[in-house]
């Protein structure tokens, strides 16, 4: 068995784990990052693409945002569509100049992996049999196999950035965590299409047949979604049917949704989930390992990077001064933002989606809420502030 030591062992090489490693490396903190998937798989995962202003600023200021800054698409508004009309929410005008940037999570992960490899600090892909142990001691352990060899990594701290289905959260003893969750009776059928976006800004569409979203990944790639059952059979959705449904839900007189070859398609279920606290001994959870939001509010990636921003600052303070103040407050600090984002994402989801058990009364309530948001500056400001990311919560 290979036995090594590091200051922070990071389980998971998604955006949370890689960003944490990058922030700590800049401050001279040693880290080891392990990931049970291949590099090719991690770099190909299609995920979120809406990045808040504060996260953009963090990545640019720390040297991880060069390509994001040059290739990301800055958006100053979004559009809400309902009852055959579109209404623009001017995000930047309402949120003190803040905007969002469209930049695929896939591209961000590629950038972070490049930086990690350039740092020459350890990054292991395709690891197996990962366990975390001795979490309440001064030197918790990460054990794993890589290239047929057993490894034991002694750490000062372990960061669990391994997602909702990872091993870190389940390694915390039963009874320690309180878990809060909500399952939604619908999912999103998402496609990536080789066609220029049909609109300059994102369109969130409420329709009696269900929600639809017109998004994008680049000037040449469109990302579109339609509400469906969470257990939808993709074989029942040939390309022609997908485009027909998108045309129905997004269609407007005088406007055309451009169609093109569908490069990828998949169904994503929707849930809300939070565990409290986000720490146990020397194990700290971040990102999807600790919380999930429905994608309607575009908060998943942003929450994960807010978590590791807080965790990195607390760890650097601890290693330099010995103060545990930041680490002791990690859960409380992160959970304030998480619950705000959970509420916003739930609110957006309820306002825009049609559930099978809803009746005409529910439909009238949704339309009333949409009219209020699009005619009241106060209501639109609340949406805008949450969407671009609150400076403090």
């Amino acid at each position: 068995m290979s036995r090594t030591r590091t200051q922070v062992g990071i389980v998971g090489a998604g955006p949370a784990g890689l960003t944490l490693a990058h922030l700590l490396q800049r401050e001279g903190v040693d880290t080891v990052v392990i990931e049970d998937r291949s590099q090719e798989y991690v770099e190909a995962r299609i995920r979120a693409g809406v990045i808040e202003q504060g996260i953009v600023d963090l990545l640019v200021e720390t040297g991880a945002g060069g390509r994001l800054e040059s290739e990301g698409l800055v958006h100053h508004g979004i559009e809400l569509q309902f009852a055959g009309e579109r209404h623009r929410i001017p995000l930047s005008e309402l949120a003190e100049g803040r905007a969002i940037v469209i930049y695929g999570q896939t591209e961000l992960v590629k950038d972070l992996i490049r930086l990690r490899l350039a740092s020459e600090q350890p990054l292991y892909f395709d690891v197996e049999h990962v366990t975390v142990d001795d979490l309440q001691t001064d030197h918790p352990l990460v054990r794993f196999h890589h290239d047929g060899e057993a490894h034991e990594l002694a750490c000062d701290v372990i960061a669990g950035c391994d997602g909702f289905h990872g091993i870190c959260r389940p390694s915390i003893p039963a009874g320690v965590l309180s878990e809060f969750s909500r399952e939604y009776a619908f999912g999103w059928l998402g496609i990536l299409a080789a066609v220029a976006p049909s609109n300059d800004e994102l369109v969130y569409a409420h329709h009696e047949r269900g929600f639809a979203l017109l998004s994008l990944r680049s000037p040449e790639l469109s990302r579109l979604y339609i509400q469906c059952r969470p257990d939808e059979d993709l074989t029942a959705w040939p390309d022609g049917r997908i485009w027909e449904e998108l045309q129905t839900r997004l269609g407007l007189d005088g406007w055309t949704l451009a169609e093109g070859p569908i490069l990828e398609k998949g169904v994503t279920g929707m849930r809300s989930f939070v565990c409290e606290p986000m720490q146990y001994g020397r194990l700290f959870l971040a990102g999807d390992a600790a919380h999930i939001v429905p994608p309607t509010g575009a908060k998943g990636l942003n929450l994960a990077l807010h978590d590791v921003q807080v965790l990195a600052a607390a760890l650097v303070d601890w290693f330099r001064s010995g103060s545990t103040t930041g680490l002791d407050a990690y859960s409380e600090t992160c959970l304030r933002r998480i619950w705000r984002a959970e509420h916003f994402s739930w609110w957006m989801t309820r306002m825009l989606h049609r559930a099978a058990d809803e009746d005409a009364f529910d439909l009238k309530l949704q339309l009333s809420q949409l009219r209020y948001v699009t005619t009241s500056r106060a209501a639109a400001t609340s949406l805008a502030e949450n969407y671009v990311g609150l400076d403090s919560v």
Side-chain angles (χ1 to χ4, degrees):
M1 177 180 289
S2 169
R3 290 182 171 86
T4 54
R5 192 185 182 289
T6 191
Q7 290 175 288
V8 182
I10 301 175
V11 183
L18 291 167
T19 300
L20 178 60
H22 171 67
L23 297 176
L24 293 175
Q25 186 270 330
R26 285 176 52 87
E27 299 296 334
V29 176
D30 291 331
T31 59
V32 173
V33 183
I34 64 170
E35 166 63 46
D36 64 359
R37 301 283 193 168
S38 68
Q39 181 176 345
E40 292 73 22
Y41 178 91
V42 171
E43 291 185 350
R45 280 187 294 207
I46 301 297
R47 291 290 188 271
V50 176
I51 306 181
E52 296 174 358
Q53 181 76 65
I55 296 300
V56 171
D57 294 343
L58 170 70
L59 294 169
V60 171
E61 289 167 5
T62 60
R67 199 157 65 94
L68 183 159
E69 198 171 26
S70 63
E71 299 179 17
L73 305 175
V74 180
H75 283 198
H76 298 283
I78 61 171
E79 296 188 39
L80 299 180
Q81 178 176 322
F82 60 97
E85 298 179 348
R86 279 192 192 154
H87 303 263
R88 185 173 186 268
I89 305 295
L91 300 175
S92 298
E93 176 187 325
L94 297 170
E96 300 179 340
R98 297 195 300 279
I100 56 169
V101 174
I102 307 299
Y103 188 70
Q105 178 175 313
T106 305
E107 302 308 312
L108 176 59
V109 167
K110 291 177 183 176
D111 297 340
L112 292 166
I113 289 175
R114 175 183 55 81
L115 287 170
R116 180 65 182 183
L117 295 176
S119 75
E120 299 185 349
Q121 292 204 51
L123 170 58
Y124 297 98
F125 289 101
D126 293 306
V127 303
E128 298 178 303
H129 310 303
V130 181
T131 63
V132 292
D133 301 291
D134 298 344
L135 300 178
Q136 289 195 296
T137 72
D138 291 341
H139 296 293
L141 300 174
V142 180
R143 295 187 175 98
F144 61 96
H145 286 70
H146 184 256
D147 288 342
E149 183 180 6
H151 292 257
E152 183 178 272
L153 179 65
C155 314
D156 294 316
V157 163
I158 297 173
C161 305
D162 53 345
F164 183 78
H165 298 289
I167 60 94
C168 286
R169 189 180 69 254
S171 298
I172 297 174
V176 171
L177 301 179
S178 296
E179 297 186 351
F180 308 86
S181 64
R182 175 149 300 174
E183 297 288 333
Y184 297 87
F186 39 77
W188 280 11
L189 193 165
I191 65 168
L192 186 68
V195 61
S198 301
N199 199 61
D200 292 336
E201 296 177 333
L202 278 68
V203 178
Y204 287 78
H206 174 281
H207 193 275
E208 290 188 12
R209 292 180 61 86
F211 169 76
L213 172 62
L214 187 161
S215 185
L216 61 154
R217 281 298 174 267
S218 74
E220 299 81 28
L221 293 174
S222 294
R223 186 78 165 141
L224 301 110
Y225 300 89
I226 52 177
Q227 177 187 338
C228 64
R229 297 195 315 271
D231 58 350
E232 197 75 58
D233 182 2
L234 270 180
T235 62
W237 286 89
D239 294 3
R241 183 186 176 192
I242 292 174
W243 284 117
E244 181 180 359
E245 195 65 30
L246 284 166
Q247 295 286 1
T248 298
R249 300 188 194 186
L250 289 166
L252 286 178
D253 291 340
W255 177 85
T256 301
L257 173 65
E259 300 181 13
I262 295 179
L263 306 177
E264 296 182 9
K265 66 176 76 170
V267 174
T268 302
M270 298 176 67
R271 69 167 64 91
S272 299
F273 172 83
V274 181
C275 75
E276 298 183 5
M278 294 167 57
Q279 58 197 99
Y280 173 73
R282 292 286 182 90
L283 170 65
F284 294 82
L285 303 177
D288 287 1
H291 47 79
I292 298 285
V293 290
T296 325
K299 292 297 158 206
L301 171 64
N302 294 292
L303 279 181
L305 298 197
H306 276 295
D307 288 350
V308 297
Q309 182 180 19
V310 173
L311 182 56
L315 287 170
V316 169
D317 185 38
W318 179 53
F319 284 123
R320 287 181 177 171
S321 71
S323 171
T324 64
T325 301
L327 292 178
D328 294 341
Y330 171 70
S331 284
E332 182 181 356
T333 301
C334 291
L335 285 166
R336 284 199 300 269
R337 179 178 295 275
I338 290 162
W339 278 113
R340 175 84 298 274
E342 289 284 356
H343 179 268
F344 176 66
S345 300
W346 168 86
W347 175 78
M348 287 279 285
T349 300
R350 291 285 296 168
M351 181 172 66
L352 291 163
H353 291 73
R354 299 288 294 139
D357 60 350
E358 290 181 342
D359 58 17
F361 185 84
D362 296 297
L363 174 60
K364 291 292 188 180
L365 290 178
Q366 288 179 317
L367 293 173
S368 175
Q369 182 66 41
L370 285 161
R371 290 190 188 99
Y372 177 56
V373 168
T374 54
T375 57
S376 164
R377 186 175 181 86
T381 298
S382 177
L383 189 156
E385 289 179 341
N386 281 273
Y387 198 88
V388 302
L390 296 163
D391 285 339
S392 59
V393 182

